Amino acid sequence: PCNRDMSIGRTISHIRPGSLEMSDFATTPLRRTSSDQLAAAETARQQSVLAHRRQSRDGPSGDTWPQPPDVHCLSLLDLGKRLDTELSEGTNGQCNTGACGLRRERAEQLFRENGPNRLTPPELESKWLKLLRITFTGLLNVLLWFCVFAEMTLYFVYPGQKDPVTPAILTLVILLTSVLQWRTELKAQATMDQLSQLQSAAKVRVVRRDSAGSRLDLDLDPEQLVVGDVIFLEAGNMVPADVRIIHCTSGMEIDKSKLSGETEPEARISEPVAMDINPFEARSLAFVGTTVTKGNATAVVFATGDRTYMGDIAKELKMPPPKSSLEIQIDHFVHIVALVAVAVAALVLLANLMAPRRRLASEILENCATALFTQVPEGLLPTVTFSLLIASEKMKDKNVLVKKLDAVETLGCVSVFCSDKTGTLTTGEMETREMLVQQADGSLRLCKPSAEADAARPLAEAGLLNNAVKVDYDEHAGCLKPTGSPTEVAIFKACAQVLGLQYAQALAANMRPGRTEKPAVFEIPFNSENKWMLTVHRCKENDQTFEVIVKGAAERVLRLCGDGTIPDDAKRLMAEGRRLLALVRRRLGENEVPENGKFQGSGLADCNFPVQQGFELVGFFAIEDPPKQGVKEAVRRCERAGVKVVMVTGDHPDTARAIASRLDILQESSGFHSVVEGSTLEGHMPPEGSEPFKMLDQAVAAASDSAAAAKQIFWRQAVQETRVFARVSPLHKKIILQAYQHYEDRIVAMTGDGVNDAPALKQANVGIAMGLRGSELARESADIVLTDDNFASAIDGMEQGRLSSDNLQKSIMYTLCSKLPQVVPAFAELFGLPEALCAAQVLLIDIGTDIWTAVAFAAQPKEASLMEREPRHPKKERMVNRGILLYSYGYVGVMQTCLCWLMYFTVTPAIGDLISSHDLLEEYTKDEKQIQMRGMTVYYWTLVLGQVAAGVSATTKRQHLFGPGGYGFPNKLLTATLIGEIVLSLIVMHWRFLMRPFEMEYLAFWPSLLIPLFAVPLVICAAEETRKRLGLGCGFGA
C-alpha cells in the first residue's frame, strides 16, 4: 500500500548497500502515538491501497506515487548487503548450518541505538490530571461549583447568618462522584493492560555470529531482536517482527487475520517478487502480529518496534475525541437548567423587592441563591455516575469491558449493529459438520462425525493419513494439542472422533493412527494455488505396493476421478455454507511405482508417477465455522428492539449468506440488495474525504452527473435493504458506516479485531473490539471490548445501556417533580400569603432526601418492554425531552403544588385566621410566628410525601405497578431511600435540636400528620396507576 510504502520506505529504501547506520533511522524518530493517530494513518493506508488497485486496473492517473521499498524484491545476496548480515546464500537461505546472521557486536550496537523490539505505548493521561479533569470540567460540574461558590460567598459576606453545611455537602457529593468515575476508568485501563499481557510472545530461535565469525544459536525474547537478525519460524509461532522470508517449506502459510481481517491463511514463498507489488501483499514478507499456521521458514528481520508495519503507520495527526451522546445530552439539559435557574432567581429577586414585607439584603440574596440552587438537580451527577457504574459492572460480568463510562449510554441508543462474522457471530474455529461417504452403489451417505458412524471409518482413516496437523504439547493448557491450519485441525478432530479412542492414542503417542501401518513416503503440501494436498503411503512394510491420497477443493480433486462434476448432495451442503473438501485415492501397481520407490514432483503435471486419472472417490468433508451459541436469540432480541443487525465480513458471499440465514439476519423478505459484495461496493465508492457522502450529494446537486446519481441511489438503497456485506475490505467497512450515519442518521455500532479495523471502530458511534483475538490497536481504538468475543455479550451490553439511559431519565423525572412546588411559595407573598417554604427546608429536601433517592434509581431493574421499544436517537429525542418536562412540571409537579397548598390551608390550625387578620407590614408576634412555622412544616411534610409518591410513580414509565403483570417494588435500595425520606422528615420535624435551624414546628398527629400521609401518596399514585393501565401519556419520558 502506498502509505505503507512511505512508512517502510523511510526505514529501508535509503539504506546504503553494505552498511546500516543508525543515522539513517534518525529521519523516523521514535514517538509516542495514540490510537486516534494510528487509526487515521491506517485509514490513509487503506485509501492508498484502493487507489493503487484502481491505478493498476485503470492505468496511471498521473499521480506521483512514492518509490516503494525493495526489501521484498531483492535477491539473497543484495538483501544481505542491504541489512549488513550474512544470509548464507550457498545453502539457499536455510541458514541451518554455517555462520549466519549479524555479528554479536553489531547486534548489541543496534539494540543500544534502536531500542527494544516493542511498540512505544501510547501516551496516557496522568491519573491525577484525569481526576482533576473529571472533577472540574463539564458544564454540570461547573454549574454545581458555581452554586457552592455562591453559598460560600454568602457565608463570608454575612457571617453568622449562614452555615457552611450546604456547600460542604454539595462539595462532598461532587468529589465522591468524580472519584468514582475516575476509579472506574482506571480499572478499565488496568483490564486493558492485562489483555495486552496475555498476548506476550514466546522466545525466538535466532542465529548470530560471535567476534570470531563462528555460529551462535540463541533463544531470545522478541524484544531483543534487531534489524538483520536471522530467525526461524515454525507452525504455531507468532511472527515477532517484520521479516523477509529467505527460505520456507512448500505450502507455508500465515494467518494475517489480525492485520487484514482475512480468515483464510495466505501462502508464503522465499523467492523475490516484482517491484510493483505492494509490500503488504508481497508473499515474501511477513509482519509482526501474524501467525505461522503451516510449514516453517527462515527469515531476516527488516523492521522492529515502532518501525514495523503495525507501529510505523502513524502520522503526526491529532484528533480531539468527539463528545459522546451522553455528554451532548447532559450539556443540553444543563443549558436548560441554567436558563431556568437564572430566570427563577431573577423572578424571586423581583418578588422579594415587590413583596409588602421588607427584607434585609442578606435575606433577599439568600432567597435568590436558594431559588437558583433549587433548580439545579444536585443528584444528577452522582446518579449519572452510579447508573453508568452499575451498568459497567453488570456488563463486565457479561464479558463486556467498558473503557469509558459514557459509552454505556451510547450503546443503548444503537439502531444499526454491524458485526463481523468470524469469531463474533461464529466460533472462529473450523468444524467438520458432516462427512459424505461414497457407497458401493455410487451413492453418497451422510454421516455425522461420531464413534457410531462406522460407514465413515474408511474416510476417517484416509483423512488422518492425508493430514498436515502436528501434535505439540501445550504448556499453558498442560496437554497435547493438534496445531496447523484450522481446516486441517477440523478434519483431524472429526476423523479421530469417528475412530474413537484412537484419537487419544494419537495424541499420547504424538502420531496419527495408521501411520505405522501405512507410513507416508512422499508428500506435496497444500497451497492456495493447487488447493489440494497429496500423500503417498506404503501399504505394507517391505512391500512395493503404494497408495496415493489426494484431498482438497472438490472442484479440483473430482477431476482426478471423472469429469469433475460435483454431486447434488454435495452441492446442497455447499448451498448451506459448508466448505467442501473431497478425498480420493488410487492404488499404484508395481509397474507404476518409480524406480527404487523414489517419488518426485511438485504438482500433478510433473509427478513421476500417475496422478492425472484413475482415482476413486472416498468421500467429502463438509466444514464450516459454526455460529456461536446464543447468537441467534441475540439477533432476534435486536429485531424486537428495533435494531438492525448487518453482517460485514470478508468471507465468500455464499458462506456469509448461509450463516446470515441461519442466524435470522437474512430473511426471506429481504430485498434485492440483501447481499452486496465488495466488488459491487468498489464500483460505487463515493469521493475520498472526511465526509464522502456529503461530497457525493454535492456532486449530484451541482451538476447532472449520472454516475454520481447512480452511486447515491445505490447507497440509499443499500442502507435500507442490505443485511450482508461480503468480501469487503476494512476501508469498505468505514464507508458502510458513514452511509448509515449519513443517509439514515443512524447510531451505529461496529465490531472489529484487526489493525485495519481501527478506522471503522473510530468512525462508529460505538466501536467494539474483540478482547481475545483482537489486535492491540483495535482494542485501543474501541469504546468497548468484548472479553469473550461474543456477539450475544454485546447485545447484553446494549440492554444494560438502554437500562442505564432509562434509569437516568426516571431519576431526572423524579428530581424535577419538586421544582415547581419549591418555587411557587416565593411568589405567593405577592398575594399576601405568609412564607410557606423557607430556604433551609428547600435545601433539606434537595440535599437531605431527594439526592439519595435519585441515586437509588441507578439500581432500578428493567421494565418488561425495555427491549421491545425502538432505540432512542440522542439527536432527535433528547434524554430530557418535552415529555419529561411535561411530566415533571406540568403533571406531577402541578399535582404536588395543589396538594401542598390544599394541605397547607386545610390541616394547619389557625392559618386562615392568620392570613385574614395579620397586617402585612407588621412583624409576626410569637404566637403568629408559631402558626406560620406550623404552616411551613405542613407544606414541607406534604412536599416530602409528594416526592415519595413521585418516586414510586417514576419507577416505571408504562408498566403498571400493582396486580397481575405488575412491576412491583424490586429495587430494594429505592424502597429504603423512600422510607428514609419519611423517617428523616419526621425526625427533623420533632427533634428540638433540628427544628429551629430548619424553622419547623411540632405537628399534631391529627390532622396535620395523618391526613397528608395517606391522602398525598394515594392521590398521586392512583392517578399514575390509572394513566399507565389506560395507556395514556405514553410520551412521558418515552
Side-chain angles (χ1 to χ4, degrees), residues 838-849:
C838 70
Q841 292 168 349
V842 170
L843 296 178
L844 179 60
I845 292 173
D846 285 351
I847 299 295
T849 56

Side-chain angles (χ1 to χ4, degrees), residues 489-504:
V489 171
I491 293 175
F492 180 89
K493 289 181 177 179
C495 294
Q497 193 173 3
V498 171
L499 298 177
L501 295 177
Q502 293 190 39
Y503 176 54

Side-chain angles (χ1 to χ4, degrees), residues 45-338:
R45 184 196 68 78
Q46 293 172 15
Q47 289 173 340
S48 69
V49 170
L50 289 180
H52 183 83
R53 289 175 180 171
R54 290 170 184 163
Q55 184 189 29
S56 301
R57 182 185 66 217
D58 303 330
S61 60
D63 296 331
T64 302
W65 293 91
Q67 179 69 21
D70 54 0
V71 67
H72 57 297
C73 55
L74 292 177
S75 67
L76 214 59
L77 178 62
D78 291 337
L79 184 65
K81 291 180 179 179
R82 176 69 59 87
L83 300 180
D84 193 21
T85 189
E86 175 58 53
L87 300 182
S88 185
E89 186 174 17
T91 60
N92 199 27
Q94 293 188 41
C95 296
N96 290 329
T97 58
C100 305
L102 292 169
R103 286 188 178 272
R104 181 168 52 191
E105 295 81 2
R106 178 60 174 160
E108 291 173 353
Q109 177 190 0
L110 288 174
F111 185 83
R112 288 193 303 271
E113 296 174 344
N114 207 21
N117 174 36
R118 61 168 178 254
L119 296 179
T120 302
E123 189 170 3
L124 299 177
E125 183 181 21
S126 165
K127 62 180 182 179
W128 302 115
L129 288 177
K130 183 193 290 286
L131 177 59
L132 291 175
R133 175 180 55 80
I134 292 173
T135 305
F136 294 103
T137 61
L139 192 55
L140 180 59
N141 274 15
V142 171
L143 190 58
L144 291 175
W145 282 121
F146 177 77
C147 290
V148 173
F149 175 77
E151 289 288 329
M152 290 302 298
T153 300
L154 289 175
Y155 174 74
F156 287 109
V157 172
Y158 300 101
Q161 300 182 28
K162 291 289 293 181
D163 61 74
V165 175
T166 299
I169 292 176
L170 186 55
T171 300
L172 185 62
V173 168
I174 299 172
L175 293 177
L176 285 177
T177 53
S178 298
V179 169
L180 275 174
Q181 182 178 348
W182 175 66
R183 291 284 298 171
T184 302
E185 293 192 12
L186 290 182
K187 285 173 63 178
Q189 184 60 48
T191 306
M192 291 289 294
D193 294 340
Q194 291 173 7
L195 286 173
S196 300
Q197 293 171 5
L198 290 177
Q199 295 190 341
S200 58
K203 289 185 179 294
V204 184
R205 285 182 55 208
V206 183
V207 60
R208 289 177 180 172
R209 293 173 290 160
D210 61 16
S211 55
S214 301
R215 180 185 179 94
L216 289 174
D217 288 295
L218 306 170
D219 288 326
L220 302 179
D221 290 326
E223 292 187 355
Q224 296 177 277
L225 295 179
V226 296
V227 173
D229 264 332
V230 175
I231 66 174
F232 301 94
L233 301 172
E234 297 179 348
N237 290 161
M238 181 178 288
V239 180
D242 287 357
V243 299
R244 159 69 192 276
I245 298 171
I246 57 177
H247 176 270
C248 65
T249 56
S250 177
M252 177 200 174
E253 293 181 346
I254 66 168
D255 176 9
K256 288 174 58 179
S257 60
K258 287 188 178 181
L259 297 183
S260 67
E262 293 289 339
T263 57
E264 286 298 319
E266 293 185 4
R268 282 295 175 265
I269 60 175
S270 58
E271 293 78 14
V273 297
M275 176 69 122
D276 59 351
I277 293 179
N278 291 304
F280 186 68
E281 298 173 353
R283 293 193 174 186
S284 59
L285 301 182
F287 299 95
V288 63
T290 59
T291 304
V292 180
T293 59
K294 182 191 293 187
N296 54 67
T298 305
V300 59
V301 175
F302 69 84
T304 61
D306 288 339
R307 298 177 178 84
T308 59
Y309 168 78
M310 189 179 291
D312 197 33
I313 59 175
K315 290 181 178 179
E316 295 300 329
L317 176 64
K318 294 183 178 179
M319 297 187 301
K323 282 190 174 183
S324 68
S325 65
L326 180 61
E327 290 174 318
I328 295 172
Q329 300 296 305
I330 296 300
D331 285 353
H332 172 261
F333 175 52
V334 173
H335 276 104
I336 294 176
V337 167

Side-chain angles (χ1 to χ4, degrees), residues 64 122 261 287 384 561 583 713 805 951 964 1032:
T64 302
F287 299 95
V384 169
C561 55
L583 187 144
I713 294 172
S805 177
L1032 302 175

Side-chain angles (χ1 to χ4, degrees), residues 803-870:
L803 178 59
S804 67
S805 177
D806 213 35
N807 288 344
L808 282 175
Q809 283 191 324
K810 292 174 181 179
S811 177
I812 293 171
M813 288 164 60
Y814 163 79
T815 302
L816 296 181
C817 284
S818 65
K819 301 308 176 185
L820 183 63
Q822 283 178 353
V823 76
V824 168
F827 302 100
E829 294 183 50
L830 293 174
F831 302 97
L833 296 178
E835 185 180 13
L837 195 69
C838 70
Q841 292 168 349
V842 170
L843 296 178
L844 179 60
I845 292 173
D846 285 351
I847 299 295
T849 56
D850 276 8
I851 190 172
W852 312 114
T853 304
V855 170
F857 273 98
Q860 194 73 7
K862 67 177 181 178
E863 292 183 48
S865 61
L866 179 65
M867 290 297 284
E868 295 176 1
R869 310 173 193 165
E870 292 292 320

